[in-house]
Amino acid sequence: MSTTTYPVRVDGALDDRLNRWLWLVKWVLVIPHLFVLVVLWIAFVLLSCAAFFAILFTGRYPRGIFDFNVGVLRWTWRVQFYAYGALGTDKYPPFTLHDVPGYPAHLEIAYPEHLSRGLVLVKWWLLAIPHYLVVGFFLGGGTWFAVQTDWYGWNSGLVGLLVLIGAVVLLFSGRFPRQVFDLVLGMDRWALRVAAYAGLMVDQYPPFRLDMGGHDPGTTRLDEPPRENHPRQVVPSPSREPELQRMSAGRTIALVVGTVVTLASLLGLTVGGALVWLDQARRDSAGFVTSDKVTLRTSGYALTSEKLTIDAGAASVPQRWFGDARVRVRAVSGSPVFVGLASTTEVRRYLTGVGYTTVKAVGPNTTTYDDHAGTAPSTTPTELKIWRVQASGPGEQSITWPIENGDWTLVVMPADGGRELSVRADVGATAPGLQWLWIGILTSSGVFLLLGTLTVVLAVVRQPKLGPSTLPSTPGRPVE
């Protein structure tokens, strides 16, 4: 048999006794970890990019970045082992990048003294594609290509399905089935090996081999006599491996603040990105940020908007931010149509006793109306002098006006004052302040993202007392 070893070691020891009900709420209990991991994975990606260039030019993975990235994988593995990646323990995961000897889940990666400069260009995307497909089936996402809608939305992969089966058995028997746990751990181990390879930490191609069980045989000689199926536990030497100190109050506060700032900055980047799309993709050749066209109908004599109230204090504020507004309408039948804007008071006076329809809300699938019973208007709209702006005639009619304070109502009617109308309409605004708005949001969010990420990294990174966070060069005495 092969005597090849792999430099990524993933261990996990299944608790003899698990709470029957705790797994139902672990998704809530791990939320603090998930918030922190979002930030840590942002740092992981950024630092991996820096490591990419370091390997490309020097052939070496910077040791500080390597230890940090190993810590992120280790932290992620502990959370997954506690939660729905394995449900292997009820012991709450520690908030640390370093290995905790007393915790039942461990991950170790041997630091490479040299890495291939050529492989770094292709291994994380091209060479890893076969493994990405396999891991997709294990963890979810990849199953879609095979089952599509046959599973009615189930997309958690084989690991999620097996963990669910084990959880149901645990609920009734009080024990998580060992065979299920061993298989799940083998798939998790495969995924973490691929993560380390794609993270540029090793050059050795991950084996297409399912190493099941808590003890990782992938880092030992496979032709050795089989060992007991539990991970190696290392008894720390008192002189070299004292207990890790607990996180101080200052580091805890920094961790919380950094996480909140980073998550808020991600929200800001999302909002800024949406505003960029709005400014660039929705602005037409005339300079108006324009909505999609919608179809509006009435069986009465007029269509009106709800009251549009603009009150920004200074009269120049709406104009400065929103510029000019525009409404375009076209009768579906091609008949002449009227569109006008007037004060709400004047519109109500004109339409008193008239049958008309108010557009309450326009949605992607439905439009909500409020119908008002009445008779035909005594005067056609073109004969009135109440309109701030107006347009009428066949084909598309457009009105443009500078946005200003006041209560306004839009009115669309058949130009001859007749009954029943169906139009295609859109609205837009020049929005001169939109570009400065998204520039400011993206810039500030980017700065806060860096500050928040740095705060979290500094809070969780501390010099351990037990040496480097990788495979120890002088391992302790294994417990048999």
Side-chain angles (χ1 to χ4, degrees):
M1 297 181 63
S2 172
T3 60
T4 303
T5 62
Y6 199 71
V8 180
R9 182 180 183 87
V10 180
D11 289 329
L14 177 65
D15 286 356
D16 292 332
R17 284 290 180 181
L18 293 169
N19 188 287
R20 294 172 184 255
W21 304 97
L22 185 62
W23 64 271
L24 293 171
V25 297
K26 282 186 176 181
W27 65 272
V28 177
L29 300 179
V30 298
I31 287 177
H33 279 283
L34 298 181
F35 284 158
V36 177
L37 284 173
V38 167
V39 184
L40 293 179
W41 274 98
I42 293 173
F44 182 98
V45 172
L46 295 176
L47 292 175
S48 294
C49 292
F52 170 87
F53 290 102
I55 297 169
L56 183 62
F57 292 109
T58 68
R60 294 180 62 86
Y61 201 120
R63 184 58 184 262
I65 296 178
F66 182 87
D67 288 345
F68 175 83
N69 285 355
V70 171
V72 175
L73 290 176
R74 179 181 291 131
W75 193 324
T76 303
W77 169 230
R78 284 195 296 251
V79 173
Q80 288 298 312
F81 188 79
Y82 170 80
Y84 305 108
L87 283 182
T89 184
D90 287 341
K91 188 174 182 180
Y92 198 69
F95 285 82
T96 178
L97 295 171
H98 305 296
D99 185 58
V100 178
Y103 199 76
H106 302 274
L107 183 145
E108 300 169 333
I109 304 177
Y111 178 72
E113 295 298 331
H114 178 78
L115 291 168
S116 169
R117 300 183 186 184
L119 281 179
V120 76
L121 296 172
V122 294
K123 66 181 180 181
W124 55 275
W125 65 280
L126 180 61
L127 300 183
I129 287 177
H131 279 287
Y132 290 154
L133 296 176
V134 174
V135 171
F137 278 96
F138 288 167
L139 302 184
T143 54
W144 182 89
F145 295 101
V147 301
Q148 296 188 14
T149 59
D150 294 341
W151 289 38
Y152 299 98
W154 179 267
N155 199 31
S156 295
L158 294 177
V159 168
L161 179 62
L162 291 172
V163 169
L164 177 60
I165 293 172
V168 173
V169 175
L170 170 64
L171 185 64
F172 290 98
S173 69
R175 290 184 178 275
F176 195 97
R178 167 67 68 175
Q179 293 83 358
V180 173
F181 172 80
D182 289 346
L183 180 56
V184 166
L185 196 61
M187 290 186 282
D188 287 334
R189 181 174 288 127
W190 191 318
L192 287 166
R193 289 172 180 170
V194 174
Y197 181 77
L200 312 179
M201 298 178 180
V202 297
D203 274 348
Q204 294 90 330
Y205 198 69
F208 281 89
R209 184 180 68 230
L210 192 62
D211 292 326
M212 298 189 297
H215 173 75
D216 189 347
T219 55
T220 59
R221 291 174 58 91
L222 299 182
D223 56 353
E224 289 181 349
R227 301 182 182 182
E228 185 180 356
N229 189 27
H230 64 76
R232 180 189 63 181
Q233 299 180 7
V234 178
V235 176
S237 170
S239 60
R240 297 190 62 223
E241 302 182 7
E243 286 291 327
L244 289 171
Q245 298 177 352
R246 292 182 179 272
M247 184 175 289
S248 65
R251 289 182 180 272
T252 302
I253 293 173
L255 180 62
V256 172
V257 171
T259 301
V260 171
V261 170
T262 302
L263 295 178
S265 66
L266 291 176
L267 178 61
L269 290 174
T270 302
V271 172
L275 293 177
V276 171
W277 172 83
L278 192 65
D279 185 40
Q280 302 298 318
R282 302 299 301 183
R283 192 179 293 277
D284 61 20
S285 59
F288 285 86
V289 178
T290 309
S291 70
D292 292 327
K293 286 188 177 295
V294 295
T295 300
L296 304 174
R297 300 180 179 88
T298 178
S299 58
Y301 297 90
L303 275 166
T304 72
S305 69
E306 291 196 289
K307 180 175 67 174
L308 307 173
T309 299
I310 301 175
D311 183 9
S316 63
V317 171
Q319 176 69 20
R320 185 187 312 147
W321 282 99
F322 299 102
D324 294 335
R326 182 188 67 188
V327 174
R328 297 184 298 188
V329 298
R330 179 193 296 270
V332 174
S333 64
S335 60
V337 65
F338 169 88
V339 57
L341 177 77
S343 70
T344 301
T345 302
E346 295 290 347
V347 170
R348 287 176 177 172
R349 184 180 295 119
Y350 171 53
L351 294 178
T352 298
V354 176
Y356 69 97
T357 299
T358 299
V359 180
K360 304 290 289 184
V362 178
N365 299 317
T366 59
T367 300
T368 305
Y369 300 97
D370 186 11
D371 293 320
H372 306 270
T375 60
S378 58
T379 307
T380 60
T382 55
E383 298 176 0
L384 299 175
K385 305 297 183 182
I386 65 174
W387 308 110
R388 174 70 173 81
V389 287
Q390 62 175 310
S392 64
E396 183 176 86
Q397 300 299 309
S398 175
I399 58 173
T400 303
W401 72 97
I403 295 179
E404 52 190 331
N405 290 340
D407 295 332
W408 308 96
T409 299
L410 280 164
V411 179
V412 180
M413 302 175 64
D416 60 2
R419 189 169 188 171
E420 294 188 0
L421 180 66
S422 178
V423 297
R424 294 280 291 167
D426 63 49
V427 297
T430 53
L434 183 59
Q435 182 178 17
W436 291 108
L437 181 61
W438 63 255
I439 289 176
I441 290 177
L442 289 181
T443 302
S444 59
S445 298
V447 171
F448 280 110
L449 176 64
L450 292 176
L451 292 176
T453 304
L454 181 62
T455 301
V456 171
V457 170
L458 293 178
V460 299
V461 174
R462 50 182 173 166
Q463 187 64 32
K465 293 186 176 182
L466 50 113
S469 59
T470 56
L471 287 172
S473 58
T474 308
R477 177 179 55 86
V479 177
E480 302 298 337

